[in-house]
Amino acid sequence: MAGLSLALEKYGTMALGRVLAPSIKLAADGFAVGPTLAVIIRDNYEEILKQKELAKIFCPGDLPLEPGDTLRNPELAESLRKIAAGGPDVFYRGELAEKIAAEMKERGGFITRDDLASYRAVERTPVRGSYREYDLISAPPPVGGLAVVETLQILEHFNLAQFGPLSPARIHLMAEAMKRGATDWRAFVGDPDFVKVPAAGLLSKSYAKARAAEI
């Protein structure tokens, strides 16, 4: 919430209430459940039932939503209305913060009112790279933009166009490149406030070439 609000304040053109309006409508009115979501709900059915608030949304009447059913989340809609009216402080210091902290305490979580009140969004320089003739700009650590750029720079060393979109060879190359990007992200990337992330090395063309040679 803090990051999105900061981005809107610095770079956006609309008021927070107007930006949130479509999400509020979607949460209140609901949307049709598709086959993929229905499978996810069914696969997690027993775990969902253990949490009554979650079950009200995804398993009303203790039955999992099926494709074509309408998923509504009126409490989310109400929370978003309060944020639209009062800004992000409602989430970090107001009524919603109290509810979050109370739920955390009841369930043995770690986030406190002080944690929420002291939270600040941080702007960091995005990571950059290239894939063939395209410049790549993605989210900086600790999120996964670095892995995306590294993966594409590894794939740059293969002529994917010679293989069909779902051919075994193409899937193999993409899976192996993604595996290396994800492995390096897990091994080396953390919060830059606490961890020195070797971003320049991970995003260098020479490193991508060495990683590609392993495939």
Side-chain angles (χ1 to χ4, degrees), residues 122-143:
V122 177
E123 273 193 279
R124 293 197 172 103
T125 304
V127 294
R128 294 174 178 266
S130 65
Y131 177 78
R132 306 191 191 283
E133 73 271 25
Y134 296 99
D135 293 328
L136 304 173
I137 303 172
S138 195
V143 294

Side-chain angles (χ1 to χ4, degrees), residues 134-153:
Y134 296 99
D135 293 328
L136 304 173
I137 303 172
S138 195
V143 294
L146 189 148
V148 173
V149 175
E150 180 187 336
T151 298
L152 287 168
Q153 292 189 157

Side-chain angles (χ1 to χ4, degrees), residues 163-175:
F163 306 113
L166 295 179
S167 67
R170 186 165 180 163
I171 291 173
H172 167 70
L173 292 172
M174 294 179 69

Side-chain angles (χ1 to χ4, degrees), residues 53 77 106 114 134 137 141 160 171-172 177 179 185 201 203 209:
E53 297 300 328
E106 181 180 339
D114 288 342
Y134 296 99
I137 303 172
L160 297 180
I171 291 173
H172 167 70
K179 184 166 67 177
W185 180 72
L203 296 176
K209 184 177 180 180

Side-chain angles (χ1 to χ4, degrees), residues 51-72:
Q51 303 181 53
K52 65 177 184 178
E53 297 300 328
L54 202 60
K56 282 197 308 187
I57 300 167
F58 295 105
C59 301
D62 290 345
L63 296 174
L65 291 173
E66 299 288 344
D69 289 344
T70 300
L71 190 158
R72 294 184 177 86

Side-chain angles (χ1 to χ4, degrees), residues 61-140:
D62 290 345
L63 296 174
L65 291 173
E66 299 288 344
D69 289 344
T70 300
L71 190 158
R72 294 184 177 86
N73 195 337
E75 290 183 343
L76 174 60
E78 184 58 27
S79 294
L80 292 176
R81 288 189 190 99
K82 290 174 180 176
I83 293 168
D89 272 358
V90 174
F91 185 90
Y92 293 101
R93 298 171 188 84
E95 176 187 347
L96 296 181
E98 292 178 9
K99 291 183 177 181
I100 292 169
E103 181 77 3
M104 284 283 170
K105 185 176 182 179
E106 181 180 339
R107 294 182 177 272
F110 297 102
I111 298 175
T112 67
R113 281 294 306 272
D114 288 342
D115 292 328
L116 290 165
S118 63
Y119 185 82
R120 299 291 183 274
V122 177
E123 273 193 279
R124 293 197 172 103
T125 304
V127 294
R128 294 174 178 266
S130 65
Y131 177 78
R132 306 191 191 283
E133 73 271 25
Y134 296 99
D135 293 328
L136 304 173
I137 303 172
S138 195

